[in-house]
Amino acid sequence: MIAEIIAVGTELLLGDIVNTNAQFLSRELAALGINVYYQTVVGDNPARLEAAVRAAMARSDLLVFTGGLGPTDDDVTKQTVARAFGDELRYDESVEADIERFFAAGGRTTPENNKKQAYVPVRGRTLRNHNGTAPGMIFEDAKKPGRRAVLLPGPPGEMRPMFLEQVRPWLASLGEGALHSISLRVAGVGESHLEGRVAALLQGDNPTAALYAKNGEVVVRITARAENDEKARAMCENLAQRFCDVLGDAVYTQSEPSLEHTLVRVLRENGKTLATAESCTGGLVSQRITGVPGASEVFGCGVCTYANEAKTRFLGVPAEMLAQHGAVSPEVAAAMARGVREAAGADIGVGVTGIAGPGGGTKEKPVGLVYIAAADETAVYVHRMLMERRTRETVRDFAAQRALDMARRAALGLPQPLCQRFANGQPVHFEAFRAQDV
């Protein structure tokens, strides 16, 4: 099945909002074994929208729309698609009742123009919206059996649950047998290095495996099709184990949504606590940790010591160390990790200091240079990152991801790759890092 994603909305063309819907749908459709060959963005213009629909119908079996289902006059997606697919719209009083209940729940009356959202396909299928007012719908082409269109609301908070709860099971039922997918999340290994290590495992056609690079990690998506879900799951698990055999402890989860979720669980299971001290990341590490439910059980302190005076006052970083080595140095990163660990009474302390840019760099310490340290009761591990020609946001994201992974490894007692190890009473020296460029 060949699919095309069509996002409707002038605000997307103008760049006022980012099209995260297309990213979500591409991944979900790929997991179902559906090939996404095209993505289109079209504004709220009836003529251009109809042209986009006709072009998509000529080359794709499945058209997935987001947006254009609102109550205003420029929301014409369903009218345009109904006409192209040879269907008509009818007024559904049960959908009107859903809309009225939505407004009543917020103590409001239903605006008259919202009632136009109660028009749904005559031959097609209506998708209930449990998080908003616009129902989704599915059209079947009257002239070409097997060609379908799925219309979803634009707001991600409405689109995603509608797809996962109603559209995904329907699409899965169209194929033969059962489809199952799992994702392995890998930290500390870049996509190109990872691909070289697992190239032989990426060659199969059932199950299939694909790599998706993100900031500071790679996702390995494994998908299998079999006569039932149990067999498809077993095929996925078998291939996943082969990836784990190659990648070892770089695979941090098979089920959790992010590294911070894994870190909180690992800390809890091992009876460990964590504290963080950040400079260039500006609290990003602690923000990600505290976004996880239950983080308060294992995370008691996060400080953002941006100024040198704050590093000295709150973390005990010696002023003479800052004067001699500068704030961006392995010595200071280690002192920050040790200082916050002691101040918070935590088992593990993490320190991050660097130059995120775009200014502030020198020849000796360029923009993108970051030192990350993780300290426990016996040692401190310091990692040097050099991310030249990267944006400020990317430098911060990569540094935060690395800090979270170092904390995970410290909690599990795992090796700290690409790090220099120093006993807690041993001074940290810059010379140890001169040959390292990671």
Side-chain angles (χ1 to χ4, degrees):
M1 187 183 295
I2 298 173
E4 180 160 350
I5 298 169
I6 303 175
V8 183
T10 302
E11 67 276 11
L12 293 168
L13 287 174
L14 296 177
D16 291 338
I17 62 173
V18 178
N19 188 10
T20 59
N21 285 346
Q23 180 188 48
F24 169 83
L25 290 170
S26 291
R27 289 176 176 171
E28 290 297 326
L29 292 170
L32 288 165
I34 298 173
N35 300 305
V36 179
Y37 284 0
Y38 306 96
Q39 288 188 16
T40 300
V41 178
V42 60
D44 298 303
N45 178 282
R48 288 193 287 273
L49 175 58
E50 183 163 359
V53 172
R54 299 291 181 184
M57 292 175 69
R59 62 195 180 194
S60 302
D61 308 304
L62 175 66
L63 284 58
V64 183
F65 294 81
T66 62
L69 301 180
T72 59
D73 290 339
D74 60 357
D75 291 309
V76 295
T77 300
K78 63 184 174 184
Q79 295 92 326
T80 304
V81 176
R83 186 166 54 250
F85 274 69
D87 204 341
E88 296 179 350
L89 300 174
R90 62 178 178 85
Y91 195 79
D92 190 323
E93 293 182 353
S94 66
V95 175
E96 179 190 3
D98 288 344
I99 296 171
E100 290 177 344
R101 278 192 292 270
F102 177 86
F103 281 102
R108 298 172 291 168
T109 58
T110 304
E112 194 63 30
N113 60 348
N114 276 94
K115 293 182 179 180
K116 69 173 282 190
Q117 294 177 302
Y119 282 93
V120 297
V122 171
R123 291 188 298 102
R125 174 179 172 182
T126 303
L127 304 172
R128 297 292 185 179
N129 189 340
H130 304 298
N131 301 281
T133 59
M137 49 204 73
I138 297 173
F139 289 91
E140 300 271 353
D141 194 339
K143 296 181 179 178
K144 183 181 178 182
R147 183 161 55 197
R148 304 171 177 91
V150 177
L151 279 58
L152 300 167
E158 300 176 33
M159 185 277 293
R160 295 188 182 196
M162 184 180 292
F163 181 89
L164 293 173
E165 296 166 10
Q166 301 178 66
V167 178
R168 195 181 195 282
W170 170 73
L171 288 173
S173 70
L174 299 179
E176 296 181 0
L179 199 71
H180 190 84
S181 296
I182 62 175
S183 294
L184 304 179
R185 293 182 177 271
V186 184
V189 184
E191 183 183 21
S192 57
H193 289 91
L194 192 152
E195 185 174 18
R197 293 169 62 180
V198 300
L201 301 178
L202 300 172
Q203 306 304 315
D205 55 7
N206 189 32
T208 62
L211 307 182
Y212 301 94
K214 302 179 69 177
N215 281 354
E217 71 174 28
V218 180
V219 176
V220 182
R221 187 67 174 263
I222 300 172
T223 302
R225 184 180 291 279
E227 59 189 72
N228 56 56
D229 186 69
E230 183 179 358
K231 290 186 177 181
R233 181 185 291 107
M235 292 168 66
C236 288
E237 294 288 352
N238 180 64
L239 183 55
Q241 185 57 56
R242 295 173 64 192
F243 273 97
C244 291
D245 290 343
V246 174
L247 299 173
D249 55 31
V251 178
Y252 69 82
T253 188
Q254 184 177 311
S255 57
E256 290 159 320
S258 67
L259 183 50
E260 53 266 32
H261 282 80
T262 298
L263 173 59
V264 169
R265 174 183 57 79
V266 164
L267 289 167
R268 185 187 301 116
E269 290 177 353
N270 288 272
K272 302 286 187 180
T273 57
L274 173 69
T276 59
E278 302 179 63
S279 184
C280 65
T281 46
L284 181 58
V285 178
S286 61
Q287 179 191 43
R288 288 180 59 177
I289 294 170
T290 55
V292 180
S296 59
E297 299 176 31
V298 296
F299 183 75
C301 177
V303 295
C304 180
T305 51
Y306 217 59
N308 285 353
E309 294 81 0
K311 294 179 177 66
T312 299
R313 179 179 178 184
F314 297 109
L315 303 174
V317 179
E320 56 270 23
M321 178 186 289
L322 289 160
Q324 180 179 355
H325 301 290
V328 181
S329 62
E331 293 87 353
V332 170
M336 290 171 66
R338 288 166 169 164
V340 76
R341 177 182 176 273
E342 182 178 343
D347 297 298
I348 300 166
V350 169
V352 184
T353 180
I355 305 170
T362 64
K363 183 178 179 180
E364 294 76 20
K365 296 183 179 182
V367 169
L369 176 64
V370 181
Y371 289 99
I372 306 166
D376 58 23
E377 72 237 7
T378 61
V380 59
Y381 298 85
V382 186
H383 175 69
R384 177 180 184 266
M385 301 184 77
L386 183 57
M387 298 168 281
E388 293 182 287
R389 295 181 295 278
R390 300 291 183 92
T391 66
R392 179 180 181 87
E393 181 182 27
T394 300
V395 170
R396 285 158 50 93
D397 285 345
F398 271 75
Q401 186 78 358
R402 181 67 184 185
L404 292 168
D405 191 48
M406 289 178 67
R408 173 187 73 96
R409 290 177 172 276
L412 290 170
L414 295 173
Q416 297 278 6
L418 302 176
C419 289
Q420 295 287 343
R421 182 187 186 277
F422 301 88
N424 254 333
Q426 179 183 352
V428 175
H429 295 295
F430 174 77
E431 286 74 14
F433 293 85
R434 284 185 172 169
Q436 200 177 84
D437 187 7
V438 293

